[in-house]
Amino acid sequence: MNHHVLPPLGLALVTGLMLPWMLVRAVWAQQAPRLGLAVWILCGALFAASTAMLPAQLVLPAHTSHRLVDMALTLDPPSPRRLVDATSREALAALAALAVLAVPGTGFVRELVRARRARTRHAELLRLVGRYDRRLGVTVLEDPRPAVYCLPGRSRRVVVSTGALKMLTERELAAALAHERAHIGGRHHLLVAAAGAYASVFRRLPLARIGGRTVPLLLEMAADDRALRGCSSDALATALYALATGQAPHDAFAAGGPSAAVRMRRILGPRRTGRPVLRGLFAVAASALAILPLVALCCWTG
């Protein structure tokens, strides 16, 4: 077997199997949800790149596959002239890598299209049964159940039920609206689509299975942090409590929902001391050390 397959194989094992279990237990990821999301994104990108390199390394001759490892480690892509002069074997390796990348890529596009169609149908329904409130900048829906949610993407809008308008105070409503607008402004639906695509394509993979439920929670926490820049923690937590039982479409972001209890404890709980960003970066760096022996072996025998 071509020994140059070891670095991408080790990277795939670390990002697909080891790091997800560490991330789901990491306190720092919930303390700094944007960093946690960045690490999940990095894991997904590195897993896709490393698995795409595996068939390419098996097809290429040893001396060429060693150069491929060097280019990947130094982030030095081949020149256009080198691509034009590629051999048939190198072209086959590139096609094999692109075929692997097409699997999650196709799943991501399919998830985006499905969610967009669902949101478009719901937006059309809101035009018929809802009314726009210019003062709040939201669509008001006649429903006694308290609910505040948003439709991201092209159909972006924030929806508030009449039940929520009656139950929430002005400060609580402002906190809930800030939370929803954070989802829209952050384009969080793209990360949800990516997590859903991985969960559907790599069903048994910890990166996909754990990430499919962890990424949406971190997105909610990131939106909470953004809302807390302009409102008090008491106002946001009370709004979450009031909206916890509210209903929202499947492809919408709701201020309440099943994660409300966890987020309320986070918002109202004592702020942990320390530096969560530094702890997170140290944990990721320590995990990356697992592939160094494989890289060293590859270079030593290359």
Side-chain angles (χ1 to χ4, degrees):
M1 184 184 73
N2 188 348
H3 63 273
H4 295 122
V5 79
L6 293 178
L9 178 60
L11 187 58
L13 293 175
V14 169
T15 56
L17 299 178
M18 189 172 82
L19 267 176
W21 288 110
M22 181 201 76
L23 285 174
V24 76
R25 294 175 171 84
V27 176
W28 59 262
Q30 294 192 5
Q31 287 181 271
R34 287 188 298 175
L35 176 61
L37 289 167
V39 176
W40 278 108
I41 295 171
L42 182 63
C43 284
L46 290 178
F47 179 81
S50 58
T51 52
M53 285 181 64
L54 289 175
Q57 293 289 49
L58 293 174
V59 170
L60 291 172
H63 66 281
T64 306
S65 63
H66 184 73
R67 288 202 302 269
L68 180 60
V69 172
D70 290 341
M71 287 188 295
L73 293 176
T74 59
L75 300 178
D76 183 21
S79 64
R81 181 179 180 82
R82 180 70 183 86
L83 293 175
V84 172
D85 296 336
T87 64
S88 58
R89 201 167 176 180
E90 291 171 345
L92 178 61
L95 289 175
L98 290 175
V100 173
L101 289 176
V103 175
T106 302
F108 176 63
V109 173
R110 185 170 59 246
E111 187 69 18
L112 279 180
V113 171
R114 183 203 61 77
R116 180 181 173 184
R117 287 176 177 172
R119 289 194 299 266
T120 300
R121 289 193 298 268
H122 189 73
E124 291 173 352
L125 178 63
L126 288 174
R127 292 190 189 97
L128 298 175
V129 300
R131 59 179 174 84
Y132 185 72
D133 187 310
R134 292 184 179 274
R135 184 180 67 87
L136 297 174
V138 302
T139 298
V140 178
L141 187 64
E142 291 291 337
D143 193 322
R145 296 170 296 183
V148 178
Y149 63 90
C150 71
L151 296 180
R154 289 192 176 184
S155 304
R156 57 182 178 271
R157 68 185 65 204
V158 178
V159 182
V160 180
S161 70
T162 53
L165 291 177
K166 293 177 181 178
M167 180 175 292
L168 300 179
T169 66
E170 186 173 337
R171 291 173 58 251
E172 294 163 359
L173 179 61
L177 295 181
H179 174 94
E180 296 307 317
R181 286 168 180 147
H183 281 310
I184 294 176
R187 298 182 179 273
H188 290 174
H189 64 289
L190 298 179
L191 290 181
V192 171
Y198 260 75
S200 62
V201 173
F202 308 108
R203 295 178 186 273
R204 298 181 182 275
L205 186 71
L207 174 64
R209 190 176 69 253
I210 299 173
R213 64 175 185 269
T214 304
V215 168
L217 176 60
L218 291 178
L219 287 172
E220 294 294 340
M221 292 178 176
D224 289 338
D225 289 349
R226 182 67 181 84
L228 286 173
R229 296 180 187 179
C231 70
S232 67
S233 57
D234 289 340
L236 181 57
T238 306
L240 292 179
Y241 178 79
L243 299 169
T245 59
Q247 300 294 318
H250 176 68
D251 294 293
F253 290 101
S259 66
V262 175
R263 290 155 52 209
M264 279 189 288
R265 286 197 298 269
R266 174 179 178 268
I267 293 170
L268 296 176
R271 294 293 178 179
R272 293 176 179 268
T273 58
R275 301 178 182 272
V277 173
L278 291 180
R279 291 202 305 272
L281 294 176
F282 177 79
V284 173
S287 300
L289 293 177
I291 68 167
L292 285 184
L294 298 178
V295 175
L297 177 63
C298 176
C299 295
W300 181 262
T301 56

